[in-house]
Amino acid sequence: MGEDLFWAITGGGGASFGVVLSFLFKLVHVPPKVTYFSLEKTSEEEIINVADKWFQIADKLDPDLFIRMGFNVINNTEGNKTISATFPSLFLGNTTSLVSLMDKSFPELGLQESDCVEMSWVDSTLVYSGFPVGTPREALLSRSQQSERQQNFKIKSDFLKNPISNQGMKSIFKRMKELRSQSLTFSPLGGRMNEISEFAKPFPHREGNLALLQYQTYWEESGTEAANEYIEDTRLMHEYMTPYVSKNPREAFLNYRDLDIGVNHNGKNSYEEGKVYGVKYWKEVNFNKLVMVKSRVDPGNFFRNEQGVPTLESDDLLVKSLLDTPYIY
Ligand SMILES: *[C@@H]1O[C@H](CO)[C@@H](O)[C@H](O)[C@H]1NC(C)=O
Ligand SMILES: *[C@@H]1O[C@H](CO)[C@@H](O)[C@H](O)[C@H]1NC(C)=O
Ligand SMILES: *[C@@H]1O[C@H](CO)[C@@H](O)[C@H](O)[C@H]1NC(C)=O
């Protein structure tokens, strides 16, 4: 299909380029058993201490170990709002090796052998997405929502370049408690992600990034009034995080489609409109290369959406200048 088009659909958002009928995947090796654990902490003092260590090591841990860090607001026994932290984690190895690795690199988390569950990697994908341990693999074939409750949600994203101070975390927790139903999840980067050039694929958030930050707000009330209130709270939380996250551009993750960061009307300003969200999702060089590929394979912009890759007229001066830009990838 052409190297450039293949490059574009492996990270540029398939919806801008066509319909993929089949894909051949090159698998990576995983051991027959992996180890899963998820620890929860509810003392705010302990959470601050553990988070402090997490920010220092999460992107530098053994490449076979992935430790996510999520924060929720819960009601404590007195009915007051308090923070709960969870650490859902996956290790490509057995319990013995994991516990000894954690004793050395992250003793603050206090992992015990009894917290660990060994299973096949396929089964771990179910547990990791919220199914109970022991769920039959057939669940992977189910296309219905796993929760019985029909929940509404709003998701936003950020990229974290530097650790957040203990004082910073205290104020973030305070802000979370002032708002409705806010969750924050930090997914560590580093490892294999750092070994790939930011131009090798459209996804550019590689070396220099500590974590991907996900804002989640869930609600059950129906109607647009409730929705607007919860969505507004997510925006306020995102705004509050400004000093802690990436800037110029404030980067975002394509898979958490967020119309707050720009909308394309697919008219004559579509390049300028696309650039607003495009540089956040792909950064400038990759965005411009996506526009070039798009202009060649879909000049009529048939595959369009509110945040698609825009098309430029082939005789447009911008395309000429983009074509002259040397790309390193
Ligand atoms: C916490 O308490 C408040 C006020 O009583 C209630 O509205 C809210 O639903 C509770 N939240 C949870 C997660 O239980
Ligand atoms: C719970 O909240 C009440 C009212 O704001 C406050 O007086 C009380 O000290 C809080 N209790 C705890 C354990 O934080
Ligand atoms: C755990 O894995 C290590 C490293 O692969 C291996 O040396 C050890 O024998 C394993 N232990 C058990 C109990 O399987």
Side-chain angles (χ1 to χ4, degrees):
M1 68 173 68
E3 286 296 313
D4 281 357
L5 179 55
F6 184 69
W7 176 89
I9 63 168
T10 48
S16 289
F17 296 94
V19 178
V20 175
L21 298 180
S22 71
F23 239 114
L24 185 64
F25 287 95
K26 183 176 171 184
L27 301 177
V28 295
H29 175 81
V30 288
K33 291 269 185 221
V34 301
T35 306
Y36 170 85
F37 72 87
S38 181
L39 291 174
E40 184 179 9
K41 306 274 177 204
T42 51
S43 140
E44 220 162 292
E45 208 178 322
E46 188 185 4
I47 291 171
I48 301 262
N49 182 42
V50 173
D52 185 53
K53 182 66 177 276
W54 189 94
F55 286 125
Q56 292 167 43
I57 58 152
D59 60 327
K60 301 173 194 77
L61 278 171
D62 185 305
D64 288 338
L65 178 56
F66 179 83
I67 304 181
R68 213 170 237 164
M69 176 168 73
F71 303 112
N72 279 298
V73 179
I74 56 165
N75 292 331
N76 66 13
T77 44
E78 288 90 32
N80 292 356
K81 282 185 173 184
T82 182
I83 298 291
S84 142
T86 50
F87 296 85
S89 309
L90 185 69
F91 178 60
L92 302 181
N94 62 31
T95 303
T96 322
S97 311
L98 173 60
V99 171
S100 111
L101 181 61
M102 288 293 284
D103 282 348
K104 282 190 217 97
S105 48
F106 199 179
E108 294 79 358
L109 202 54
L111 182 72
Q112 306 290 317
E113 277 198 19
S114 54
D115 301 317
C116 301
V117 193
E118 291 181 0
M119 60 186 85
S120 71
W121 180 82
V122 170
D123 290 335
S124 82
T125 64
L126 283 165
V127 177
Y128 219 95
S129 28
F131 289 89
V133 173
T135 301
R137 285 177 195 172
E138 286 66 37
L140 285 166
L141 301 172
S142 161
R143 293 183 152 239
S144 59
Q145 200 172 4
Q146 69 198 68
S147 154
E148 319 80 69
R149 295 183 304 175
Q150 199 70 36
Q151 285 195 318
N152 307 297
F153 62 88
K154 170 70 185 169
I155 310 276
K156 294 175 80 69
S157 64
D158 259 318
F159 282 90
L160 186 76
K161 310 269 178 182
N162 298 303
I164 302 178
S165 69
N166 291 356
Q167 199 48 51
M169 288 312 292
K170 277 186 198 146
S171 354
I172 290 166
F173 291 160
K174 181 165 176 284
R175 190 69 181 122
M176 284 173 73
K177 287 186 263 185
E178 287 163 5
L179 299 168
R180 267 156 297 200
S181 136
Q182 293 300 306
S183 302
L184 291 184
T185 304
F186 293 80
S187 296
L189 297 172
R192 180 78 182 118
M193 301 292 281
N194 283 2
E195 294 167 9
I196 298 166
S197 148
E198 72 175 77
F199 309 111
K201 290 286 169 191
F203 179 97
H205 321 279
R206 298 191 181 268
E207 199 170 7
N209 287 281
L210 200 171
L212 162 65
L213 178 45
Q214 183 185 42
Y215 303 74
Q216 304 133 276
T217 306
Y218 291 88
W219 67 94
E220 287 174 52
E221 296 93 319
S222 52
T224 50
E225 199 177 320
N228 288 339
E229 285 178 11
Y230 284 101
I231 291 172
E232 186 55 24
D233 272 9
T234 321
R235 291 177 182 144
L236 291 171
M237 194 66 221
H238 182 261
E239 191 184 312
Y240 189 80
M241 293 297 288
T242 308
Y244 304 104
V245 296
S246 68
K247 313 175 170 54
N248 305 316
R250 184 165 184 175
E251 297 166 35
F253 181 40
L254 178 70
N255 281 14
Y256 304 166
R257 286 286 188 193
D258 179 9
L259 294 184
D260 293 348
I261 66 172
V263 169
N264 209 316
H265 299 89
N266 294 302
K268 65 176 172 30
N269 295 325
S270 74
Y271 176 80
E272 285 72 23
E273 286 178 350
K275 201 168 175 173
V276 174
Y277 54 84
V279 298
K280 292 166 189 270
Y281 288 144
W282 301 294
K283 295 176 70 174
E284 192 162 355
V285 169
N286 290 353
F287 170 68
N288 283 333
K289 187 176 168 192
L290 287 168
V291 173
M292 279 173 35
V293 177
K294 167 78 175 181
S295 304
R296 201 183 69 233
V297 304
D298 184 19
N301 197 16
F302 178 79
F303 293 104
R304 63 184 177 274
N305 63 72
E306 301 97 316
Q307 282 190 342
V309 173
T311 307
L312 282 173
E313 299 276 328
S314 59
D315 60 349
D316 194 297
L317 281 176
L318 266 167
V319 166
K320 290 205 183 72
S321 73
L322 294 175
L323 287 169
D324 290 340
T325 312
Y327 290 102
I328 314 139
Y329 58 89

